[in-house]
Amino acid sequence: MIDLNFLGRSKTKAKLKKTYTEAKVSYLNRIRWAVSMFYFGMGLCFATWASRIPDIKTALHLSEGDLGSILFALPLGQLVIMPFSGKLVTRFGSHRILIFALLFYVFSMTNLGLASQAWQLSLGLFVFGIFGNLSNIAVNTQGVYTEVLFKKTIMSSFHGMWSFAGFMGALVGLGMLAFELTPYIHFLIVAVIVFLMVAFNYKFLIKAKETIQTEKKKMFSKPDSALIWLGIIGFCCMASEGVMFDWSGVYFKDVIKAPGPLVILGYTSFMIMMAGGRFLGDGLIRKFGRKTVLQISGIMISAGLFTAVFFPFVIPATIAFMFVGLGVSTIVPTVYSVAGKTPNVSPSVALTTVSSVSFLGFLMGPPIIGYIAELSSLRFSFAFIGVFGILIALMVSRIKAIE
Protein backbone atom coordinates (compact mmCIF):
# COMPACT_ATOMS: atom_id res chain seq x y z
CA MET A 1 0.00 0.00 0.00
CA ILE A 2 1.28 3.48 -0.78
CA ASP A 3 2.20 5.48 2.29
CA LEU A 4 0.94 8.98 1.64
CA ASN A 5 3.18 10.21 4.45
CA PHE A 6 6.42 9.27 2.68
CA LEU A 7 7.46 12.93 2.49
CA GLY A 8 8.08 13.12 6.21
CA ARG A 9 6.83 12.26 9.64
CA SER A 10 6.96 14.27 12.83
CA LYS A 11 8.10 12.32 15.87
CA THR A 12 6.62 14.75 18.36
CA LYS A 13 3.26 16.37 18.85
CA ALA A 14 2.84 20.06 18.26
CA LYS A 15 3.67 22.07 21.36
CA LEU A 16 1.35 24.93 22.22
CA LYS A 17 2.93 27.91 23.93
CA LYS A 18 1.89 28.96 27.43
CA THR A 19 0.38 32.03 25.77
CA TYR A 20 -2.40 29.70 24.64
CA THR A 21 -2.52 27.04 27.36
CA GLU A 22 -2.75 29.65 30.13
CA ALA A 23 -4.92 32.11 28.24
CA LYS A 24 -8.20 33.48 29.57
CA VAL A 25 -11.47 31.99 28.38
CA SER A 26 -12.31 35.18 26.47
CA TYR A 27 -9.10 34.89 24.44
CA LEU A 28 -9.70 31.21 23.76
CA ASN A 29 -13.19 32.04 22.53
CA ARG A 30 -11.67 34.66 20.20
CA ILE A 31 -9.35 31.97 18.80
CA ARG A 32 -12.29 29.64 18.29
CA TRP A 33 -14.21 32.36 16.50
CA ALA A 34 -11.24 33.13 14.23
CA VAL A 35 -10.80 29.49 13.26
CA SER A 36 -14.56 29.23 12.68
CA MET A 37 -14.39 32.18 10.31
CA PHE A 38 -11.73 30.43 8.23
CA TYR A 39 -13.98 27.38 7.97
CA PHE A 40 -16.82 29.70 7.00
CA GLY A 41 -14.69 31.44 4.37
CA MET A 42 -13.77 28.14 2.76
CA GLY A 43 -17.38 27.00 2.66
CA LEU A 44 -18.51 30.34 1.26
CA CYS A 45 -15.98 30.15 -1.58
CA PHE A 46 -17.01 26.64 -2.58
CA ALA A 47 -20.74 27.40 -2.38
CA THR A 48 -20.24 30.60 -4.39
CA TRP A 49 -18.59 28.69 -7.22
CA ALA A 50 -21.23 25.93 -7.10
CA SER A 51 -24.10 28.44 -7.25
CA ARG A 52 -22.93 29.77 -10.64
CA ILE A 53 -22.10 26.47 -12.36
CA PRO A 54 -25.32 26.54 -14.46
CA ASP A 55 -24.55 30.09 -15.69
CA ILE A 56 -20.96 29.26 -16.56
CA LYS A 57 -22.12 26.08 -18.32
CA THR A 58 -24.51 28.15 -20.45
CA ALA A 59 -21.94 30.88 -21.15
CA LEU A 60 -19.36 28.36 -22.39
CA HIS A 61 -21.97 26.33 -24.33
CA LEU A 62 -21.06 23.11 -22.53
CA SER A 63 -23.00 19.87 -22.73
CA GLU A 64 -23.65 17.76 -19.63
CA GLY A 65 -20.84 15.43 -20.68
CA ASP A 66 -18.44 18.31 -21.26
CA LEU A 67 -19.25 19.82 -17.89
CA GLY A 68 -18.81 16.48 -16.13
CA SER A 69 -15.35 16.06 -17.62
CA ILE A 70 -14.33 19.62 -16.74
CA LEU A 71 -15.59 19.36 -13.16
CA PHE A 72 -13.25 16.40 -12.63
CA ALA A 73 -10.35 18.88 -12.78
CA LEU A 74 -11.18 20.14 -9.27
CA PRO A 75 -10.78 16.81 -7.42
CA LEU A 76 -7.79 16.07 -9.65
CA GLY A 77 -6.06 19.18 -8.31
CA GLN A 78 -6.88 18.09 -4.77
CA LEU A 79 -5.49 14.62 -5.34
CA VAL A 80 -2.27 15.95 -6.90
CA ILE A 81 -1.42 18.14 -3.88
CA MET A 82 -2.58 15.67 -1.20
CA PRO A 83 0.77 13.85 -0.74
CA PHE A 84 2.47 17.20 -0.14
CA SER A 85 -0.13 19.04 1.98
CA GLY A 86 0.74 17.53 5.33
CA LYS A 87 4.46 18.08 4.92
CA LEU A 88 3.98 21.71 3.88
CA VAL A 89 1.67 22.43 6.81
CA THR A 90 4.06 20.74 9.25
CA ARG A 91 7.14 22.47 7.83
CA PHE A 92 5.80 26.03 7.56
CA GLY A 93 3.03 26.00 10.16
CA SER A 94 -0.71 25.61 9.68
CA HIS A 95 -1.33 29.30 10.43
CA ARG A 96 0.96 30.46 7.60
CA ILE A 97 -0.27 27.88 5.09
CA LEU A 98 -3.91 28.61 5.93
CA ILE A 99 -3.58 32.34 5.28
CA PHE A 100 -1.58 31.78 2.10
CA ALA A 101 -3.81 28.97 0.78
CA LEU A 102 -7.15 30.63 1.55
CA LEU A 103 -6.14 33.89 -0.13
CA PHE A 104 -5.09 32.02 -3.26
CA TYR A 105 -8.22 29.86 -3.00
CA VAL A 106 -10.25 33.06 -3.20
CA PHE A 107 -8.11 34.43 -6.03
CA SER A 108 -8.46 31.21 -8.05
CA MET A 109 -12.23 31.33 -7.48
CA THR A 110 -12.46 34.80 -9.04
CA ASN A 111 -10.49 33.57 -12.07
CA LEU A 112 -13.16 30.95 -12.71
CA GLY A 113 -15.50 33.80 -13.58
CA LEU A 114 -13.12 34.97 -16.31
CA ALA A 115 -13.00 31.63 -18.16
CA SER A 116 -14.12 32.02 -21.78
CA GLN A 117 -13.08 28.58 -23.00
CA ALA A 118 -13.40 25.07 -21.63
CA TRP A 119 -9.65 24.56 -21.13
CA GLN A 120 -9.42 27.78 -19.13
CA LEU A 121 -12.18 26.61 -16.81
CA SER A 122 -10.47 23.22 -16.42
CA LEU A 123 -7.15 24.83 -15.55
CA GLY A 124 -8.86 27.21 -13.13
CA LEU A 125 -10.64 24.34 -11.36
CA PHE A 126 -7.39 22.39 -11.12
CA VAL A 127 -5.73 25.32 -9.32
CA PHE A 128 -8.88 25.86 -7.24
CA GLY A 129 -8.62 22.24 -6.11
CA ILE A 130 -4.94 22.57 -5.15
CA PHE A 131 -5.48 25.55 -2.86
CA GLY A 132 -8.73 24.06 -1.58
CA ASN A 133 -6.90 20.98 -0.31
CA LEU A 134 -4.09 23.02 1.24
CA SER A 135 -6.69 25.16 3.01
CA ASN A 136 -8.53 22.04 4.16
CA ILE A 137 -5.50 20.40 5.79
CA ALA A 138 -4.35 23.67 7.37
CA VAL A 139 -7.74 24.68 8.76
CA ASN A 140 -8.42 21.22 10.21
CA THR A 141 -4.98 21.29 11.84
CA GLN A 142 -5.99 24.60 13.44
CA GLY A 143 -9.24 22.95 14.48
CA VAL A 144 -7.33 20.14 16.22
CA TYR A 145 -5.10 22.65 18.05
CA THR A 146 -8.12 24.66 19.19
CA GLU A 147 -9.84 21.52 20.42
CA VAL A 148 -6.75 20.72 22.52
CA LEU A 149 -6.94 24.16 24.14
CA PHE A 150 -10.61 23.76 25.00
CA LYS A 151 -10.05 20.20 26.27
CA LYS A 152 -13.38 19.12 24.82
CA THR A 153 -14.84 18.12 21.47
CA ILE A 154 -15.59 21.15 19.29
CA MET A 155 -14.60 19.94 15.82
CA SER A 156 -18.19 19.33 14.68
CA SER A 157 -19.07 22.98 15.26
CA PHE A 158 -16.21 24.02 12.96
CA HIS A 159 -17.54 21.81 10.20
CA GLY A 160 -20.98 23.18 10.98
CA MET A 161 -19.69 26.63 10.05
CA TRP A 162 -18.59 25.21 6.68
CA SER A 163 -22.09 23.80 6.13
CA PHE A 164 -23.72 27.06 7.25
CA ALA A 165 -21.54 28.91 4.75
CA GLY A 166 -22.97 26.63 2.08
CA PHE A 167 -26.45 27.97 2.83
CA MET A 168 -25.24 31.55 2.87
CA GLY A 169 -23.39 31.04 -0.41
CA ALA A 170 -26.54 29.68 -2.03
CA LEU A 171 -28.61 32.62 -0.74
CA VAL A 172 -26.04 35.16 -1.92
CA GLY A 173 -25.98 33.40 -5.27
CA LEU A 174 -29.75 33.81 -5.61
CA GLY A 175 -29.39 37.50 -4.79
CA MET A 176 -26.67 37.97 -7.40
CA LEU A 177 -28.84 36.24 -9.99
CA ALA A 178 -31.74 38.53 -9.08
CA PHE A 179 -29.52 41.56 -9.75
CA GLU A 180 -28.27 39.88 -12.95
CA LEU A 181 -24.62 40.22 -11.95
CA THR A 182 -22.06 38.21 -13.89
CA PRO A 183 -20.24 35.33 -12.15
CA TYR A 184 -17.01 37.35 -12.14
CA ILE A 185 -18.58 40.33 -10.33
CA HIS A 186 -20.31 37.92 -7.95
CA PHE A 187 -17.00 36.19 -7.20
CA LEU A 188 -15.23 39.52 -6.67
CA ILE A 189 -17.82 40.62 -4.10
CA VAL A 190 -17.45 37.36 -2.19
CA ALA A 191 -13.65 37.65 -2.47
CA VAL A 192 -13.72 41.04 -0.75
CA ILE A 193 -15.86 39.58 2.06
CA VAL A 194 -13.44 36.69 2.59
CA PHE A 195 -10.39 38.98 2.42
CA LEU A 196 -11.93 41.12 5.19
CA MET A 197 -12.61 38.00 7.27
CA VAL A 198 -8.96 36.99 6.92
CA ALA A 199 -7.77 40.49 7.80
CA PHE A 200 -9.82 40.58 11.03
CA ASN A 201 -9.00 37.06 12.19
CA TYR A 202 -5.55 35.95 11.01
CA LYS A 203 -3.80 37.31 14.14
CA PHE A 204 -5.76 34.88 16.30
CA LEU A 205 -4.70 31.69 14.52
CA ILE A 206 -2.68 29.33 16.70
CA LYS A 207 1.08 29.39 16.11
CA ALA A 208 2.07 25.90 17.20
CA LYS A 209 5.69 24.79 17.34
CA GLU A 210 6.47 21.35 15.95
CA THR A 211 9.80 19.61 16.33
CA ILE A 212 10.31 17.80 13.04
CA GLN A 213 12.59 14.80 12.92
CA THR A 214 12.33 13.50 9.39
CA GLU A 215 12.63 9.78 8.97
CA LYS A 216 13.82 8.31 5.73
CA LYS A 217 10.91 6.23 4.63
CA LYS A 218 10.27 4.24 1.53
CA MET A 219 7.64 5.53 -0.79
CA PHE A 220 5.92 2.15 -0.62
CA SER A 221 5.47 1.31 3.05
CA LYS A 222 2.72 0.53 5.47
CA PRO A 223 1.11 3.62 7.02
CA ASP A 224 -0.31 3.76 10.54
CA SER A 225 -3.13 1.18 10.64
CA ALA A 226 -5.34 3.33 12.90
CA LEU A 227 -5.18 6.18 10.38
CA ILE A 228 -6.11 3.83 7.55
CA TRP A 229 -9.14 2.56 9.48
CA LEU A 230 -10.16 6.15 10.19
CA GLY A 231 -9.72 6.91 6.50
CA ILE A 232 -11.94 3.97 5.50
CA ILE A 233 -14.66 5.17 7.87
CA GLY A 234 -14.30 8.63 6.31
CA PHE A 235 -14.43 7.01 2.85
CA CYS A 236 -17.78 5.35 3.59
CA CYS A 237 -19.19 8.58 5.04
CA MET A 238 -17.99 10.84 2.23
CA ALA A 239 -19.22 8.39 -0.40
CA SER A 240 -22.68 8.65 1.17
CA GLU A 241 -22.36 12.43 1.42
CA GLY A 242 -21.19 12.79 -2.20
CA VAL A 243 -24.11 10.70 -3.42
CA MET A 244 -26.54 12.97 -1.60
CA PHE A 245 -24.93 16.09 -3.05
CA ASP A 246 -25.00 14.84 -6.64
CA TRP A 247 -27.91 12.42 -6.84
CA SER A 248 -30.57 13.40 -4.29
CA GLY A 249 -32.25 15.78 -6.74
CA VAL A 250 -32.19 13.18 -9.50
CA TYR A 251 -33.62 10.59 -7.10
CA PHE A 252 -36.50 12.88 -6.15
CA LYS A 253 -37.20 13.66 -9.79
CA ASP A 254 -36.87 10.22 -11.40
CA VAL A 255 -37.76 7.82 -8.58
CA ILE A 256 -39.93 9.80 -6.17
CA LYS A 257 -41.58 11.67 -9.06
CA ALA A 258 -41.71 14.81 -6.94
CA PRO A 259 -43.63 17.63 -8.65
CA GLY A 260 -41.94 20.89 -9.68
CA PRO A 261 -40.16 22.73 -6.86
CA LEU A 262 -40.38 19.70 -4.55
CA VAL A 263 -37.53 18.14 -6.50
CA ILE A 264 -35.06 20.03 -4.29
CA LEU A 265 -36.82 18.93 -1.08
CA GLY A 266 -34.59 15.90 -0.58
CA TYR A 267 -31.34 17.83 -0.99
CA THR A 268 -32.58 20.72 1.18
CA SER A 269 -33.71 18.44 4.01
CA PHE A 270 -30.37 16.61 3.89
CA MET A 271 -28.35 19.84 4.05
CA ILE A 272 -30.40 21.34 6.88
CA MET A 273 -30.04 18.26 9.05
CA MET A 274 -26.34 17.87 8.26
CA ALA A 275 -25.63 21.47 9.32
CA GLY A 276 -27.83 21.16 12.41
CA GLY A 277 -26.26 17.86 13.36
CA ARG A 278 -22.79 19.37 13.23
CA PHE A 279 -23.69 22.15 15.63
CA LEU A 280 -25.29 19.65 18.02
CA GLY A 281 -22.69 16.93 17.50
CA ASP A 282 -20.08 18.13 20.00
CA GLY A 283 -22.56 18.07 22.86
CA LEU A 284 -23.79 14.60 21.91
CA ILE A 285 -20.22 13.28 21.74
CA ARG A 286 -19.39 14.71 25.17
CA LYS A 287 -22.52 13.10 26.62
CA PHE A 288 -22.52 9.69 24.92
CA GLY A 289 -18.94 9.26 23.68
CA ARG A 290 -17.43 9.16 20.20
CA LYS A 291 -17.91 5.46 19.63
CA THR A 292 -21.63 5.46 20.44
CA VAL A 293 -22.31 8.55 18.33
CA LEU A 294 -20.40 7.16 15.34
CA GLN A 295 -22.15 3.79 15.53
CA ILE A 296 -25.58 5.42 15.71
CA SER A 297 -24.60 7.76 12.87
CA GLY A 298 -23.67 4.82 10.65
CA ILE A 299 -26.96 3.09 11.39
CA MET A 300 -28.85 6.32 10.61
CA ILE A 301 -27.17 6.55 7.19
CA SER A 302 -28.21 2.99 6.33
CA ALA A 303 -31.70 3.40 7.77
CA GLY A 304 -32.25 6.60 5.81
CA LEU A 305 -31.06 5.26 2.47
CA PHE A 306 -32.94 1.96 2.84
CA THR A 307 -36.12 3.84 3.80
CA ALA A 308 -35.85 5.98 0.66
CA VAL A 309 -35.38 2.80 -1.40
CA PHE A 310 -38.31 0.83 0.06
CA PHE A 311 -40.70 3.78 0.44
CA PRO A 312 -40.17 5.96 -2.67
CA PHE A 313 -42.72 8.62 -1.78
CA VAL A 314 -42.22 12.31 -1.02
CA ILE A 315 -42.82 12.38 2.75
CA PRO A 316 -41.01 9.12 3.70
CA ALA A 317 -38.10 9.94 1.38
CA THR A 318 -37.78 13.47 2.80
CA ILE A 319 -37.64 12.09 6.35
CA ALA A 320 -35.19 9.43 5.15
CA PHE A 321 -32.83 12.03 3.68
CA MET A 322 -33.02 13.96 6.95
CA PHE A 323 -31.77 10.82 8.71
CA VAL A 324 -28.90 10.56 6.24
CA GLY A 325 -28.01 14.21 6.88
CA LEU A 326 -27.90 13.63 10.63
CA GLY A 327 -25.91 10.45 10.10
CA VAL A 328 -23.10 11.99 8.06
CA SER A 329 -22.95 15.21 10.10
CA THR A 330 -20.59 14.13 12.87
CA ILE A 331 -18.55 11.33 11.27
CA VAL A 332 -15.92 13.27 9.30
CA PRO A 333 -15.35 15.93 12.01
CA THR A 334 -14.94 13.16 14.60
CA VAL A 335 -12.60 11.16 12.39
CA TYR A 336 -10.46 14.26 11.79
CA SER A 337 -10.43 15.05 15.50
CA VAL A 338 -9.23 11.56 16.43
CA ALA A 339 -6.65 11.50 13.60
CA GLY A 340 -5.19 14.83 14.69
CA LYS A 341 -4.38 13.38 18.11
CA THR A 342 -2.58 10.26 16.82
CA PRO A 343 0.61 9.68 18.88
CA ASN A 344 3.98 10.21 17.15
CA VAL A 345 2.41 11.69 14.00
CA SER A 346 2.01 15.42 13.44
CA PRO A 347 -1.64 16.52 13.11
CA SER A 348 -1.17 17.84 9.57
CA VAL A 349 0.42 14.62 8.31
CA ALA A 350 -2.21 12.47 10.07
CA LEU A 351 -5.00 14.59 8.59
CA THR A 352 -3.46 14.27 5.13
CA THR A 353 -3.46 10.48 5.37
CA VAL A 354 -7.04 10.28 6.60
CA SER A 355 -8.42 12.91 4.25
CA SER A 356 -6.65 11.29 1.28
CA VAL A 357 -8.44 7.98 1.87
CA SER A 358 -11.71 9.68 2.84
CA PHE A 359 -11.81 11.96 -0.17
CA LEU A 360 -11.66 9.00 -2.54
CA GLY A 361 -15.17 8.18 -1.30
CA PHE A 362 -16.42 11.65 -2.22
CA LEU A 363 -14.75 11.29 -5.61
CA MET A 364 -15.81 7.71 -6.40
CA GLY A 365 -19.25 7.54 -4.76
CA PRO A 366 -21.26 9.56 -7.32
CA PRO A 367 -19.79 7.84 -10.42
CA ILE A 368 -20.36 4.41 -8.82
CA ILE A 369 -24.02 5.35 -8.32
CA GLY A 370 -24.28 6.22 -12.02
CA TYR A 371 -22.70 2.97 -13.18
CA ILE A 372 -24.85 0.80 -10.91
CA ALA A 373 -27.99 2.73 -11.87
CA GLU A 374 -27.21 2.16 -15.56
CA LEU A 375 -26.80 -1.58 -14.98
CA SER A 376 -29.82 -1.95 -12.71
CA SER A 377 -31.71 0.99 -11.21
CA LEU A 378 -31.16 4.13 -9.16
CA ARG A 379 -32.99 2.55 -6.21
CA PHE A 380 -30.63 -0.41 -6.19
CA SER A 381 -27.60 1.89 -6.34
CA PHE A 382 -28.86 3.84 -3.31
CA ALA A 383 -29.33 0.54 -1.48
CA PHE A 384 -25.73 -0.35 -2.31
CA ILE A 385 -24.45 2.87 -0.73
CA GLY A 386 -26.77 2.22 2.22
CA VAL A 387 -24.56 -0.73 3.20
CA PHE A 388 -21.73 1.73 3.91
CA GLY A 389 -23.50 2.99 7.02
CA ILE A 390 -23.56 -0.50 8.49
CA LEU A 391 -19.86 -0.89 7.67
CA ILE A 392 -19.13 2.35 9.57
CA ALA A 393 -20.93 1.05 12.67
CA LEU A 394 -18.94 -2.21 12.52
CA MET A 395 -15.54 -0.63 11.84
CA VAL A 396 -15.76 1.88 14.69
CA SER A 397 -15.29 -0.96 17.19
CA ARG A 398 -11.87 -1.79 15.67
CA ILE A 399 -10.26 1.56 16.54
CA LYS A 400 -9.12 1.88 20.13
CA ALA A 401 -8.62 5.64 19.81
CA ILE A 402 -12.36 6.13 19.37
CA GLU A 403 -13.99 6.13 22.78
Side-chain angles (χ1 to χ4, degrees), residues 40-273:
F40 184 89
M42 287 179 58
L44 186 62
C45 287
F46 186 82
T48 297
W49 145 248
S51 70
R52 300 308 293 260
I53 290 177
D55 300 296
I56 293 176
K57 174 180 177 293
T58 301
L60 299 184
H61 308 289
L62 301 173
S63 66
E64 282 73 13
D66 293 335
L67 179 62
S69 299
I70 290 172
L71 290 178
F72 187 72
L74 193 154
L76 183 61
Q78 293 178 314
L79 287 173
V80 166
I81 196 64
M82 269 184 182
F84 306 93
S85 300
K87 179 61 178 176
L88 290 171
V89 171
T90 301
R91 177 68 63 181
F92 298 105
S94 58
H95 61 291
R96 294 190 184 94
I97 293 296
L98 180 53
I99 296 168
F100 166 81
L102 183 56
L103 291 179
F104 276 90
Y105 189 53
V106 174
F107 180 70
S108 57
M109 175 194 68
T110 60
N111 285 339
L112 296 175
L114 293 174
S116 59
Q117 297 183 45
W119 71 266
Q120 293 174 342
L121 182 60
S122 298
L123 180 60
L125 285 172
F126 181 80
V127 176
F128 192 55
I130 288 175
F131 289 111
N133 181 258
L134 277 173
S135 299
N136 177 55
I137 299 301
V139 78
N140 278 292
T141 301
Q142 284 285 313
V144 169
Y145 293 161
T146 308
E147 198 171 58
V148 169
L149 291 177
F150 275 81
K151 299 178 182 179
K152 63 180 181 180
T153 304
I154 59 174
M155 185 66 83
S156 288
S157 66
F158 288 141
H159 286 254
M161 289 298 290
W162 191 95
S163 299
F164 178 64
F167 284 113
M168 295 303 296
L171 290 176
V172 171
L174 288 174
M176 297 297 175
L177 286 171
F179 286 106
E180 299 183 350
L181 296 178
T182 64
Y184 181 63
I185 298 299
H186 176 184
F187 295 169
L188 278 180
I189 293 173
V190 172
V192 171
I193 294 173
V194 177
F195 278 139
L196 289 174
M197 289 170 52
V198 171
F200 282 110
N201 293 287
Y202 79 94
K203 291 182 179 180
F204 297 95
L205 292 178
I206 297 173
K207 302 173 181 64
K209 181 180 180 181
E210 295 191 22
T211 303
I212 304 171
Q213 297 176 1
T214 305
E215 293 181 351
K216 292 183 178 179
K217 301 209 39 105
K218 294 180 180 179
M219 182 171 180
F220 293 91
S221 59
K222 186 177 181 180
D224 189 291
S225 60
L227 294 178
I228 294 301
W229 279 112
L230 288 170
I232 294 173
I233 291 174
F235 175 97
C236 292
C237 177
M238 294 194 75
S240 306
E241 188 176 329
V243 165
M244 295 302 293
F245 276 120
D246 291 1
W247 287 95
S248 58
V250 178
Y251 195 85
F252 257 64
K253 181 178 180 181
D254 296 345
V255 177
I256 306 300
K257 305 295 183 182
L262 293 183
V263 167
I264 66 169
L265 188 59
Y267 174 79
T268 304
S269 62
F270 165 78
M271 285 296 295
I272 289 174
M273 297 309 289

Side-chain angles (χ1 to χ4, degrees), residues 235 247 361 363-374 381 384-385 388:
F235 175 97
W247 287 95
L363 181 65
M364 295 170 60
I368 289 174
I369 280 286
Y371 297 143
I372 296 176
E374 189 170 343
S381 59
F384 174 79
I385 297 297
F388 285 12

